[in-house]
């Protein structure tokens, strides 16, 4: 069973969200998602300053097996991207909840995060796949 930290919220599309304070959230893909994709070879990140809405495809994770869109789980503005992934996309595999984060977003409405799945709900959603 994949590691599913209980302090994060999850989208059914396998993105995780961690609150950083003051309406800012870090977003990445779950351990389960990176396991399905396999070894990362390239990550295309969103543009800093982009205004994005829930469900927008904002990034692409390319692995040796496939390319997969990454969707934004909340509405807001992209504040920062993980530039380390340009040279080291494998960080998504080795540390999906740490150094492998994708982007930070300033939420238009931080309460949107409450609509995402908790760890138990996310675990149930991947068991149903």
């Amino acid at each position: 069973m994949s590691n599913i930290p209980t302090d994060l919220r999850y989208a059914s599309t396998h993105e995780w969200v961690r609150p950083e304070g003051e309406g800012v959230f870090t977003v990445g893909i779950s351990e389960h998602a990176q396991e399905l994709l396999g070894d990362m070879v390239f990550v295309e990140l969103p543009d800093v300053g982009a205004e994005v809405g829930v469900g927008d495809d904002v990034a692409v994770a390319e692995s040796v097996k496939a390319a997969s869109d990454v969707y934004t789980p909340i509405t807001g503005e992209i504040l920062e991207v993980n530039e380390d992934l340009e040279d080291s996309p494998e960080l998504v595999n080795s540390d999906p909840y740490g150094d492998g984060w994708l982007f930070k977003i300033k939420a238009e409405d931080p309460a949107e995060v409450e609509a995402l799945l908790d760890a138990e709900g996310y675990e149930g959603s991947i068991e149903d796949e």
Side-chain angles (χ1 to χ4, degrees), residues 60-108:
V60 178
E62 290 188 29
S63 70
V64 293
K65 291 186 196 173
S68 180
D69 287 332
V70 177
Y71 303 96
T72 183
I74 56 176
T75 300
E77 178 187 353
I78 304 295
L79 293 182
E80 184 181 347
V81 296
N82 186 351
E83 293 177 0
D84 292 343
L85 298 180
E86 289 176 22
D87 296 324
S88 303
E90 67 277 2
L91 290 171
V92 174
N93 298 115
S94 62
D95 193 8
Y97 301 114
D99 291 340
W101 62 277
L102 300 180
F103 59 90
K104 294 187 180 187
I105 185 170
K106 173 81 174 172
E108 188 174 287

